[in-house]
Structures are given as structure tokens and as C-alpha cells.
Amino acid sequence: MLGHVRDMNLAALPSVEKLSQRLAQQSQLPKSLVTGFIKRQLSPFRERLMAGEELTREEIESGITDALETFESSRLQPVLNGTGILIHTNLGRAPLGHRAAQAVYDVATNYCNLEIDLTTGKRGKRGAFLEEALAILVDAEAATVVNNCAASLVLTLRALIAEGKNEVIVSRGELVEIGGGFRIPDILETSGAKLVEVGATNKTHLRDYEQAITDRTALILKVHRSNFFLGGFTGEPELEELFDLAKTHHIPLVEDLGSGALMNTDQLAPIEHEPRPQEQLGKGIELVLFSGDKLLGGPQAGIIAGRADLVEKIKREPFYRAVRPDKMILTALQEVVIDYLTIKDDPTRIDLVPVLQMLNESPEDLRRKAADLQQRISEPSEIVETTGATGGGTMPKSQFPSVAVRTAKKPDLPHLFTRVEDDQHHIDPRTLRQPERE
Ligand SMILES: *Cc1c(COP(=O)(O)O)cnc(C)c1O
């Protein structure tokens, strides 16, 4: 009897074949994917029916249809960033310039000289061009690249600590959480380093560092406060002083810079000065670590630059093999580095790197683009003064004036992200990309 009721219940289950036939037609996905998805969705419904829950076929079909829509929309695809936040981690951080993206396309769809020396036809060094160009760009003895800045920190720590010499000195004012669970103390632990905290949250003196140095000290680590700021009664030693101290004790001085602005971004927009790798290296930091896809405006990558012997040691660490980037990332970053060097020769070429171009946008251009945008949306709207930000855990204090199209209802543009303030949608044309804004 019970079995009979259960079977009657199960009769509400739709036919996989029929449902996938219908849903595959409505979606852009291969039918096999739709069928597989439906099958996986059906099993919890089957269990609920078996448990005696009353569900109609319509309910089940509409539940699966909605789930498929959500699944399909989770496919990675372009969206419109109208938030005015340049490096939005949830929106994929920095967009790549067209020239660099085209180079990736060419390398990806062909064979390439990844580890071949084209002049001799013999085995060559992977990333050799990029490493040389990067070193020239940031004025460092040497440079190398890994998958992201977090990996560059783990790798650097692993390479520079040793048995019985694994203490890493960090100021208490720099024990930051970057986001996504990335906390400096945890990173140190994963790397096998022993954290030696010095100073207080607001103030760390040179003597705090000095007193913490022992013969087990592997390095002094500075972490740039990239996503928060410290104000009031604060203080820390000058980098030059810290460098002298580290040098006297033959201890490397390493800085995790995070965002790594390669240009004086404060000259492009009215924002705070973000320390550049070349600047920090000039002050005596021996190794700087920074991201490829924050203010640099390239692909996701972590860059390590500085003293040649240290970079060499890092590349010899076995873990390097686990975090080295692939040919597409190497190509993208290589081309962005070339773009920077081109801009150095000719500042009018700033359009090559979207992040720089967007930062540099003039109020007149923004107003013109806002007016164009107004023409393209049907909702009643007005142009208002607003503020933009770099975002993505960079320059938390820096908000710069911008312009936005304000509407009460979100305009019907595909996958548009707006900034909602006072229940009104604000669309900043600064971060809308071509060709959408043309
Ligand atoms: C963002 C950031 C990181 C992490 O960089 P990813 O490239 O996202 O791994 C590390 N350190 C600092 C200081 C940062 O700001």
C-alpha cells in the first residue's frame, strides 16, 4: 500500500528526455549539459516525493527551469560595470586592453616559443622576455612571475626561510587580512615561517624591529596597508632606517605591496599616492611583491622583483613549479608590460591600459559619455556628480569625483551593475567598456 502511494507520487517526476528537449531549446547550452543538469536536479525531488511530500509536475518543472537559468547565468561572461569602481574583485578586477588580449588569442590558438630560443632553435627559458622587461620597467635587478600575489608571498617565504632560521618579523600594524580569508599570520604559518610580531597596532619603532632580531631571523616583512588606513597617533620607521638595520644584520627586507601601481596613479586622478615597486626598491627594499590585476591593470599574476640572488633562490624553490603561470598569462602580462614601456615613451598612449585610461578620464569626457548613455536608455534620468574609487582592496581612502547617470529604475541593459545610493541607480560611464558606451 505504502509502495503504491510512493509510486503514485513518483509519477509527478517529469521525463528527463522531454524536459531536456524543451529546456535545451531555450538555452544556449549543449543538450548533454542540460540533460546532465536535469538529472542531477531530479534526485532531490525524487527523495522529497519518496518522503511523502506532495509535489506537482508543474512545481518540479518550474523548479528545474529556474535552477537551469541560474546555472546558465553563472557561466563566466562579460558584464557591464556601471559602479565606477575600477578594480572590482567580484567583477573580475582589471579589464585587459585589446592589444594584450589579441596577443593572448594569437598565442593560445597557435604553438609558441614558450621554452624555445628562436635564434638557436634550442631549449630556451620560459618567461625570459617578460622577466627581463619587467626588471627594466620596475628598475630591479631581476623579476619573476607566479599565479597571484598571495602565491608570491607563500613562495618567497618558503624560499627564504631555512631550518632553524625561519623567523619572520612583521609589525603588528601590518598583520592584515586582504580578503577571501587571506591573512598574513595564516600565510606565514602555511609557509612554515614563524611569525614574530613587533610593535603595537598603531606604532612600531625601529628599536622594536631591532630587539626582535635573533640568529633565527630569516627576513623582515613589510605589508602595505592596501585595503585599510591607519590614522591618528601612529608611526613607523622610515624604510631607509629599516633597510640599514636589515643590512647590518644581513637580513633581507621584503615588502608585500599588494596593488603595485607602476605609474604615479595620483597624477592621473586626484587620489593618494600609492607606493610604486620601483620607488620601494629605490629606498632599499630588496624584494617587492605585487599583483598583476589590481592597479597594474593586467591579468591575474603575482610579481616578485628585486635582488637577483633572491629572485634566483625563489625560482629554485620546488614550490615555484606549482605556482608558475601558463603561456596565456605570461603573454598577457608581457604585452601589458610592453604597453607600460610604450606609455613611458609616449604618455598619450595611456589608452593601451584600460585601468590607467579610466583613472585618467577627464570630467568633460565623462559628461559626454554620460549624455550618450542617457540617449540609450529609456528610463527618465539625470546626470549627477558622484565619486569613483579604485576598489579591489586598493587605496581605501581615495575617492575621486566622477559623473553618473541617475535613474529610479535600473535600465534594461544586459548584466548591468549599478551603484545604488538613496534607492537610486547610479551608472558611472567611467567603468563602462567599449563598445557598450560608444
Ligand atoms: C591584494 C593583496 C594581496 C593578494 O593579491 P592577489 O593577487 O589577489 O593574490 C596580497 N597582499 C596585499 C597587500 C594585497 O593588497
Side-chain angles (χ1 to χ4, degrees):
M1 182 64 195
L2 245 172
H4 178 63
V5 169
R6 199 187 298 140
D7 291 348
M8 278 189 38
N9 261 350
L10 286 182
L13 283 174
S15 132
V16 173
E17 182 49 35
K18 275 192 198 146
L19 188 56
S20 60
Q21 192 77 40
R22 178 159 67 77
L23 294 185
Q25 266 172 16
Q26 297 168 9
S27 87
Q28 304 289 321
L29 301 176
K31 180 153 179 278
S32 294
L33 180 55
V34 174
T35 308
F37 183 81
I38 291 171
K39 282 187 183 156
R40 287 159 67 95
Q41 288 288 314
L42 276 177
S43 34
F45 281 115
R46 185 177 294 110
E47 275 165 32
R48 285 166 65 185
L49 290 170
M50 303 260 277
E53 204 174 318
E54 301 273 345
L55 288 165
T56 65
R57 177 166 301 177
E58 289 68 43
E59 282 171 332
I60 297 174
E61 288 196 359
S62 97
I64 293 176
T65 306
D66 291 351
L68 181 68
E69 200 178 312
T70 305
F71 172 61
E72 186 165 8
S73 73
S74 69
R75 182 178 188 173
L76 282 181
Q77 56 193 292
V79 301
L80 292 177
N81 177 6
T83 64
I85 297 167
L86 264 58
I87 308 159
H88 202 303
T89 299
N90 301 152
L91 300 182
R93 290 197 183 161
L96 205 58
H98 291 293
R99 212 192 58 78
Q102 183 63 46
V104 175
Y105 177 87
D106 293 341
V107 159
T109 54
N110 285 288
Y111 292 102
C112 68
N113 58 336
L114 185 62
E115 293 179 0
I116 290 285
D117 180 337
L118 289 180
T119 54
T120 62
K122 297 212 169 72
R123 176 119 193 216
K125 261 177 63 202
R126 191 188 176 95
F129 180 94
L130 171 59
E131 292 184 348
E132 183 79 15
L134 256 176
I136 291 169
L137 177 61
V138 303
D139 222 345
E141 280 177 22
T144 194
V145 179
V146 294
N147 284 336
N148 51 46
C149 187
S152 76
L153 182 53
V154 176
L155 177 67
T156 299
L157 290 167
R158 285 180 71 109
L160 301 189
I161 61 174
E163 183 110 24
K165 205 172 170 66
N166 69 339
E167 292 184 359
V168 174
I169 303 176
V170 192
S171 157
R172 287 201 171 86
E174 298 174 6
L175 292 175
V176 307
E177 170 167 324
I178 305 301
F182 180 79
R183 283 188 173 161
I184 294 297
D186 299 337
I187 291 295
L188 259 69
E189 202 183 299
T190 325
S191 317
K194 182 166 176 283
L195 170 63
V196 177
E197 302 175 25
V198 296
T201 304
N202 56 332
K203 267 201 180 207
T204 302
H205 301 279
L206 189 65
R207 61 170 186 278
D208 295 322
Y209 283 102
E210 194 165 10
Q211 283 159 8
I213 295 175
T214 69
D215 53 10
R216 295 178 305 279
T217 306
L219 61 109
I220 295 177
L221 177 67
K222 293 277 300 164
V223 183
H224 177 54
R225 286 186 279 268
S226 50
N227 59 0
F228 75 110
F229 44 87
L230 210 55
F233 185 58
T234 60
E236 59 186 21
E238 293 292 332
L239 270 187
E240 290 86 348
E241 293 178 300
L242 201 54
F243 171 64
D244 286 341
L245 177 70
K247 197 176 162 87
T248 313
H249 294 270
H250 306 289
I251 304 166
L253 181 59
V254 178
E255 184 167 26
D256 175 6
L257 274 176
S259 73
L262 294 185
M263 283 184 62
N264 276 321
T265 39
D266 47 330
Q267 285 172 8
L268 302 178
I271 51 179
E272 267 175 289
H273 179 69
E274 180 72 6
R276 295 173 305 140
Q278 48 272 55
E279 213 171 290
Q280 303 304 88
L281 291 169
K283 286 181 187 163
I285 294 276
E286 284 154 305
L287 274 184
V288 288
L289 318 176
F290 54 97
S291 283
D293 57 351
K294 289 187 183 170
L295 280 174
L296 194 156
Q300 180 184 304
I303 296 150
I304 303 170
R307 245 172 66 188
D309 61 323
L310 296 178
V311 172
E312 201 42 52
K313 197 167 180 187
I314 287 168
K315 290 182 70 179
R316 280 201 308 270
E317 155 69 35
F319 187 64
Y320 175 70
R321 180 64 180 76
V323 291
R324 73 174 193 193
D326 78 320
K327 61 183 177 183
M328 290 189 263
I329 296 294
L330 291 174
T331 305
L333 190 58
Q334 161 189 292
E335 295 308 311
V336 175
V337 167
I338 289 181
D339 287 341
Y340 269 92
L341 290 160
T342 305
I343 295 168
K344 204 170 165 185
D345 296 338
D346 177 4
T348 64
R349 297 309 315 280
I350 203 158
D351 59 296
L352 287 167
V353 181
V355 166
L356 301 180
Q357 152 100 43
M358 290 188 284
L359 256 181
N360 195 42
E361 204 91 70
S362 71
E364 304 78 61
D365 275 350
L366 283 171
R367 287 200 163 267
R368 186 178 52 74
K369 282 167 183 162
D372 287 350
L373 179 63
Q374 262 189 319
Q375 299 300 312
R376 292 180 44 223
I377 57 178
S378 46
E379 284 74 18
S381 64
E382 55 192 328
I383 296 176
V384 295
E385 308 277 321
T386 178
T387 52
T390 53
T394 64
M395 302 199 286
K397 261 206 282 203
S398 292
Q399 300 231 317
F400 38 85
S402 203
V403 164
V405 172
R406 183 166 73 188
T407 60
K409 204 173 135 273
K410 190 166 151 182
D412 192 20
L413 294 172
H415 308 306
L416 170 68
F417 288 81
T418 66
R419 195 147 87 182
V420 180
E421 267 164 36
D422 305 324
D423 277 343
Q424 301 273 315
H425 291 275
H426 293 72
I427 310 149
D428 188 333
R430 186 192 294 271
T431 46
L432 291 180
R433 303 278 304 136
Q434 322 264 7
E436 289 81 14
R437 68 184 182 191
E438 293 302 286

